[in-house]
Amino acid sequence: MSLATEKENTTEIIGNKKQKTRQSVFIPAFLVVGGGAILGIVNNQLLADISMNGFIGSLRGLGWLYQIISIVALIVVSVVTFSKLGNIRLGGSDAKPKYPFPAWFAMALTGGIATGVITYGVNEPIIYFGNIYGEMANTGVEPGTSMAAIYAMGRSLYNWTFIPYAMYSLSGLVVAYMYFNRKQPLSVTGTLTPLFGNKITKGIWPGIIDTLAVLAIALGLASSLGAGLALVGSGIQTVYGIQQGPIVWFVLVLVITGLFTLSALKGLDKGIRRMSDINAKVFYILLIAMIIIGPTLYILQSTTAGFAHWLQNFWGWGLDPGLIGGEALVMWWTLYDWAIWIAYAPLMGIFLAVISYGRTIRQFMLINWILPAVFSIVWFGVFGGTALHWQQNGTVDLVSTIQESGAVAGLWAFLANLPLAAIIIPVVMIALILSFATAADSMIRAIATLCTVNIRYDEEPAKWKMLIWAISIATIAYVMVTFAGGVQGVDGVKYLAALGGSAVLFVFVLQVFSAVKMFFIDKIEK
């Protein structure tokens, strides 16, 4: 190691083990995150304007690249999964997996979805169906019709299933294969060595690339937590009449942050694994309850028809940068979603890699790509299908609710009309809290891992690193929600997080090319 590299690392002792902090990643990432929080307090409108303008500009200029690389990622993942490459074992032929399939799937599933499926499982299909923000204007489909319901279901499944999970799983596979089979560092930079050789792991590039990945996920978690605070707070206000405000948000942020911090500090086996298992079981209970309560036949029919409509429009939706479907539909939904998924992908990939030692590539793809996509199909089919059925038969007017009070209100209005709502609503609130906590604990661990020099996959990063990132992310979320305008207060960090996804886009594109080169061009190391 060079003298310059030695000087950039601080040393701490944990037990008898020395860990060195990657200051080239930790310091700039922490300064940017902290600077964003300060700017949000001093002038939140300026933060929102800067980040939103940058974000919109990036999607208008790079929408074509988002769409192309998402389709390429899907194709690469499909070929690798169903070819002989799927037989390769991560860690070598003698490697033995640590986690049984149910525990492994629970960690992979809950580590990646955060609060998204709960928030949008009801709201997104209804927003399309009612053309609430002009999404249907360029589609040729009349809003409020039975065809609009099929379109709404198909578009929701497109945004939440096989394509986005292909992004996660491709990043995870590249990390896992390069680390376990080619003995590269456990980092984002290490995944690019098939393209650039070992020189990419030296000089200024590792700091730049890994800092971008840390920033994207840290800001993404902050905006997700802020939105979660506003969402749960609005539910408490709507259902129980307790006015949401700084005190309610403070209690919520303490509970949520306490959960994911404690889980992360307890480590992968005693913390993250146990909380993921609890969260997954809550999801399963909600799904079973809704299948029993909901219009089962319509759920099955609308999901099947919606999936057929997606397949029928695969290339048109998949390669549209916004010129066909319009900005209201493509940019503000699909491309925004892709920016967030890609922002999470490199760090999510590190977490998925760490828990996948000893598994074959095909097993890796089953757990991280196929089954989570199937879960999302079922979730949107059950919740979205029920919401669409109720909207069409007049059980509850969710379109008007969202138009008058925003998408957040749509979820609670939907849940309030369920039988046993008094039981289901608290369970959904618990699921929201657990969902964020299980996503955050895995990502906090990944951030701390990336801020540590030469850490092993089975080694826990320093607790102070996880703690400081947890507190920082929670602070940003609370400050933005409390002092910068409630739900609207998270906009600055929300768009900044998505803008971070635009920066990470180029890293992700390189990861895709790296996967193509090492699996289809280079000599395979089994």
Side-chain angles (χ1 to χ4, degrees):
M1 183 180 292
S2 68
L3 181 61
T5 306
E6 293 246 17
K7 286 182 177 179
E8 82 156 18
N9 299 325
T10 56
T11 302
E12 64 203 67
I13 299 178
I14 305 173
N16 294 321
K17 173 74 175 176
K18 289 184 178 181
Q19 286 189 339
K20 292 181 178 180
T21 300
R22 293 181 66 194
Q23 289 193 4
S24 60
V25 176
F26 180 83
I27 292 177
F30 190 74
L31 288 177
V32 172
V33 170
I38 294 171
L39 181 57
I41 297 171
V42 175
N43 191 338
N44 179 62
Q45 190 59 49
L46 178 61
L47 175 65
D49 289 344
I50 291 173
S51 54
M52 185 175 74
N53 289 335
F55 167 64
I56 292 173
S58 69
L59 288 196
R60 285 177 177 162
L62 297 171
W64 60 273
L65 181 56
Y66 275 105
Q67 293 287 49
I68 288 174
I69 204 64
S70 67
I71 295 296
V72 172
L74 180 67
I75 293 171
V76 171
V77 162
S78 301
V79 173
V80 169
T81 303
F82 298 110
S83 68
K84 292 181 179 180
L85 294 168
N87 297 325
I88 297 172
R89 190 169 297 277
L90 299 172
S93 57
D94 296 328
K96 303 297 181 185
K98 182 177 182 180
Y99 302 105
F101 271 100
W104 182 26
F105 177 62
M107 286 190 286
L109 175 69
T110 61
I113 58 178
T115 58
V117 293
I118 299 177
T119 306
Y120 292 107
V122 169
N123 293 329
E124 188 165 331
I126 290 294
I127 288 171
Y128 296 151
F129 177 80
N131 192 36
I132 291 177
Y133 304 113
E135 287 83 0
M136 304 290 276
N138 288 17
T139 63
V141 177
E142 184 68 26
T145 62
S146 58
M147 187 61 217
I150 294 172
Y151 185 96
M153 183 63 74
R155 193 77 191 197
S156 299
L157 296 180
Y158 166 75
N159 286 348
W160 284 91
T161 58
F162 290 101
I163 293 177
Y165 279 109
M167 300 174 187
Y168 273 0
S169 56
L170 185 140
S171 281
L173 176 61
V174 176
V175 173
Y177 185 74
M178 293 306 298
Y179 178 71
F180 291 126
N181 296 64
R182 292 201 176 181
K183 312 306 178 187
Q184 289 295 325
L186 186 60
S187 68
V188 179
T189 310
T191 64
L192 306 183
T193 54
L195 295 178
F196 304 105
N198 288 330
K199 62 184 179 182
I200 193 69
T201 63
K202 301 173 184 177
I204 64 172
W205 291 111
I208 294 173
I209 293 169
D210 290 342
T211 297
L212 283 175
V214 169
L215 281 175
I217 199 72
L219 293 170
L221 286 174
S223 64
S224 182
L225 176 55
L229 293 176
L231 180 61
V232 178
S234 70
I236 292 173
Q237 179 175 316
T238 301
V239 178
Y240 302 111
I242 301 174
Q243 188 70 28
Q244 67 170 326
I247 295 176
V248 170
W249 291 327
F250 184 71
V251 172
L252 287 173
V253 83
L254 282 181
V255 171
I256 297 172
T257 306
L259 277 173
F260 75 72
T261 304
L262 182 63
S263 176
L265 292 178
K266 278 186 166 291
L268 196 55
D269 294 337
K270 294 182 179 179
I272 295 173
R273 175 179 175 176
R274 291 178 181 176
M275 185 171 291
S276 297
D277 182 63
I278 294 170
N279 191 27
K281 287 177 179 175
V282 172
F283 275 134
Y284 302 154
I285 290 170
L286 283 172
L287 275 178
I288 293 170
M290 282 299 302
I291 290 172
I292 295 172
I293 293 171
T296 307
L297 180 59
Y298 182 82
I299 288 170
L300 295 172
Q301 291 176 332
S302 61
T303 305
T304 303
F307 198 73
H309 196 61
W310 171 42
L311 293 177
Q312 183 182 11
N313 292 277
F314 178 83
W315 294 111
W317 293 357
L319 295 175
D320 177 18
L323 298 180
I324 301 172
E327 285 194 354
L329 175 67
V330 180
M331 190 176 82
W332 288 106
W333 286 98
T334 300
L335 295 183
Y336 176 82
D337 286 350
W338 285 182
I340 296 297
W341 285 89
I342 287 174
Y344 275 60
L347 267 289
M348 189 66 196
I350 289 178
F351 175 71
L352 297 179
V354 164
I355 61 176
S356 300
Y357 178 77
R359 296 293 184 181
T360 66
I361 288 178
R362 188 170 294 111
Q363 290 171 335
F364 179 94
M365 289 301 175
L366 174 67
I367 291 295
N368 296 298
W369 173 46
I370 296 174
L371 290 183
V374 170
F375 175 88
S376 286
I377 291 172
V378 175
W379 186 277
F380 274 83
V382 170
F383 280 85
T386 302
L388 289 168
H389 187 261
W390 286 358
Q391 179 68 40
Q392 291 176 88
N393 67 17
T395 300
V396 57
D397 189 358
L398 295 173
V399 170
S400 296
T401 300
I402 294 173
Q403 287 173 332
E404 295 168 4
S405 306
V408 167
L411 173 64
W412 303 116
F414 169 82
L415 294 173
N417 277 271
L418 289 172
L420 304 175
I423 297 173
I424 292 175
I425 289 175
V427 173
V428 170
M429 289 183 179
I430 292 170
L432 280 166
I433 291 171
L434 286 175
S435 294
F436 181 81
T438 50
D441 59 10
S442 57
M443 290 301 96
I444 291 294
R445 187 185 189 278
I447 291 172
T449 296
L450 208 54
C451 291
T452 305
V453 175
N454 293 331
I455 188 170
R456 283 176 49 84
Y457 81 101
D458 54 356
E459 180 183 352
E460 292 295 334
K463 291 183 178 180
W464 72 265
K465 284 198 191 84
M466 293 189 281
L467 187 61
I468 198 170
W469 280 109
I471 293 173
S472 300
I473 288 167
T475 301
I476 294 173
Y478 179 72
V479 166
M480 296 302 287
V481 173
T482 304
F483 300 108
V487 176
Q488 299 305 316
V490 302
D491 279 352
V493 177
K494 176 181 176 182
Y495 292 122
L496 192 60
L499 184 59
S502 298
V504 175
L505 170 64
F506 297 100
V507 176
F508 181 73
V509 169
L510 291 175
Q511 284 190 324
V512 174
F513 286 135
S514 188
V516 171
K517 186 173 185 294
M518 70 183 180
F519 285 123
F520 305 118
I521 299 174
D522 294 348
K523 180 181 178 181
I524 297 297
E525 298 178 22
K526 298 183 178 181

